[in-house]
Amino acid sequence: MLLDHIDLRVSDLPRARMFYDPLFTAMGLTHVNADAESAGYHPPGEPPNAPFVWVVQESTHQPNGTRVAFAAPSRAAVDDIAGIARQSGARAFEAPAIISEYGTNYYAAFFEDADGNKLEVCYRGNV
C-alpha cells in the first residue's frame, strides 16, 4: 500500500501558506490548487495517482504527537528543504544531522509549523 495523500489541518490558512508554499515547492509540489479554506499541493501536471498534500483550515485544530516525515533524494536536499523551513518560520527547529538511533545513514531535520504540526524531512540512503 502506498501513500495517496496527506491531509494537514491548520488554524489559519493564510499564515500556513506562508510556510507551506515555499516548503512544498522545494519538495517538487509546484502545482497549487487553493480556495479560501484549503490548499492542495501537487506535482506539476498532476500525474494520475501522484501523492499530494492538502492543507485545510480548521479553526479549532489542535496538534498532537503525530509527525509526518517527507523523504528527500539526498542529504543536500534535506539541507535545502530544512533551510527553507527555517526561513519560512519553522518552530522547534532541529538542524539536519545523522540520527544514529534511527539508522547508520539516517539524516534528518525536524520542525513544526505555526500550529505545532510536527514535520520531518529525511534521507535514508548512503552518504
Side-chain angles (χ1 to χ4, degrees):
M1 189 177 300
L2 299 176
L3 173 70
D4 183 80
H5 69 278
I6 296 170
D7 183 1
L8 286 173
R9 301 297 164 137
V10 298
S11 63
D12 183 322
L13 184 64
R15 177 184 68 189
R17 288 201 58 192
M18 291 184 342
F19 178 76
Y20 285 116
D21 283 4
L23 185 70
F24 289 144
T25 294
M27 292 181 184
L29 301 175
T30 58
H31 178 78
V32 180
N33 178 18
D35 59 27
E37 297 176 356
S38 64
Y41 298 86
H42 309 267
E46 293 193 61
N49 302 319
F52 64 92
V53 179
W54 204 263
V55 178
V56 179
Q57 181 168 294
E58 183 177 283
S59 62
T60 59
H61 171 67
Q62 295 293 315
N64 58 34
T66 301
R67 180 181 344 142
V68 177
F70 295 95
S74 67
R75 283 187 180 191
V78 171
D79 293 341
D80 291 344
I81 294 166
I84 290 166
R86 189 172 201 174
Q87 290 172 354
S88 298
R91 297 180 358 183
F93 183 82
E94 295 179 35
I98 290 286
I99 312 300
S100 59
E101 61 264 28
Y102 291 0
T104 309
N105 296 315
Y106 198 97
Y107 188 73
F110 301 89
F111 48 90
E112 296 177 6
D113 70 7
D115 282 295
N117 292 312
K118 295 171 182 14
L119 305 165
E120 172 185 348
V121 60
C122 64
Y123 175 68
R124 295 194 286 159
N126 294 325
V127 179

